[in-house]
Amino acid sequence: MKKVIFIIIVLFSFYDICFAKDPANLVYLTNRCSVVTSKETTIHLDVINVNDGMLAKLTDKFTLGRISNTDEMTLSISGMDSNYIKQVFIDTLKDENNRSNLNIYYDKDIILDKWTKLLSLNINIKFDSEMPSTFYVLGSEVFLSEDESICESINGYKTEVIKSSAQINKNMKINYIGYVLLILVCLFELLFIIKKKKNS
């Protein structure tokens, strides 16, 4: 009887593994051309999942891909909107092509239905010197131009010029649990000290 119970437990322990969701298949959508004004531009990026899949929390960090990051430009992230992602940031390390990882952070497994938007964000770029002709974003080269009509022709529609904004993440939730636990520990220690003094 014990052997039968053991076999049933083993079979059920493999149930989730056998029927686990496939990894999420992410695609990245952005304009083909971005308008540069006063040496600044903002590239809007949407990250869409195209299958019923999952982003497993093997670590709390996941690399979406790489973006251009040279010493002649200043990058920031703004307007991040997501129901799943806690934070997005650009790695300070660069490869031999002057590209850095764009990382996302989350604290639990993410189950995504087909065509679900994982997140959207703006990549703000300020060029400190000469503006390059393209900017690499997650596998695509986005053309850069100071002429709106050129970008309109390349994109195939009138290009919306997004104004750069401060690096604000409205969806970031401050975790107060650590502070609450710290306060409780201090209160317990204080009560313990008071009680010890009374007993002595």
Side-chain angles (χ1 to χ4, degrees):
M1 185 66 182
K2 289 183 178 178
K3 287 184 179 179
V4 174
I5 294 171
F6 177 77
I7 291 169
I8 291 171
I9 292 170
V10 169
L11 287 174
F12 273 97
S13 68
F14 283 105
Y15 179 83
D16 287 338
I17 297 172
C18 295
F19 293 95
K21 281 186 173 287
D22 293 330
N25 186 7
L26 304 176
V27 296
Y28 312 111
L29 306 178
T30 188
N31 287 336
R32 294 175 61 197
C33 183
S34 185
V35 179
V36 179
T37 306
S38 302
K39 290 193 171 183
E40 292 187 18
T41 190
T42 296
I43 297 174
H44 182 76
L45 177 69
D46 288 321
V47 181
I48 310 290
N49 182 57
V50 296
N51 68 327
D52 291 324
M54 178 177 72
L55 281 180
K57 189 188 176 297
L58 301 175
T59 65
D60 60 353
K61 181 176 76 170
F62 179 83
T63 300
L64 291 175
R66 293 185 177 179
I67 65 172
S68 294
N69 187 10
T70 69
D71 294 335
E72 289 74 40
M73 62 179 68
T74 303
L75 304 178
S76 65
I77 301 293
S78 69
M80 198 272 278
D81 182 27
S82 176
N83 295 323
Y84 312 95
I85 305 304
K86 299 296 182 184
Q87 186 181 17
V88 180
F89 86 82
I90 302 161
D91 201 322
T92 54
L93 298 176
K94 304 172 187 177
D95 64 12
E96 64 277 5
N97 297 314
N98 284 318
R99 294 171 183 172
S100 294
N101 288 336
L102 183 63
N103 298 318
I104 58 175
Y105 287 81
Y106 50 96
D107 55 8
K108 59 184 177 182
D109 289 348
I110 300 174
I111 308 297
L112 296 170
D113 294 328
K114 192 174 184 179
W115 305 120
T116 300
K117 182 187 287 187
L118 177 66
L119 81 153
S120 60
L121 57 87
N122 295 324
I123 303 172
N124 305 315
I125 312 159
K126 182 176 181 180
F127 301 104
D128 302 321
S129 58
E130 189 177 348
M131 178 190 83
S133 58
T134 61
F135 184 87
Y136 182 85
V137 182
L138 306 179
S140 300
E141 293 282 355
V142 176
F143 293 98
L144 302 175
S145 177
E146 295 176 321
D147 189 336
E148 282 190 48
S149 63
I150 290 175
C151 279
E152 186 175 338
S153 176
I154 291 173
N155 290 330
Y157 50 84
K158 185 171 177 59
T159 303
E160 180 186 356
V161 179
I162 304 169
K163 297 294 183 183
S164 296
S165 58
Q167 188 173 354
I168 299 171
N169 184 352
K170 293 181 180 178
N171 282 5
M172 280 290 290
K173 295 180 180 178
I174 300 171
N175 187 356
Y176 293 104
I177 295 172
Y179 294 108
V180 172
L181 289 174
L182 184 62
I183 291 167
L184 288 173
V185 169
C186 291
L187 285 173
F188 279 124
E189 285 187 5
L190 184 63
L191 291 171
F192 179 75
I193 292 169
I194 292 170
K195 190 174 180 181
K196 193 175 180 181
K197 283 186 176 179
K198 283 184 178 179
N199 291 338
S200 61

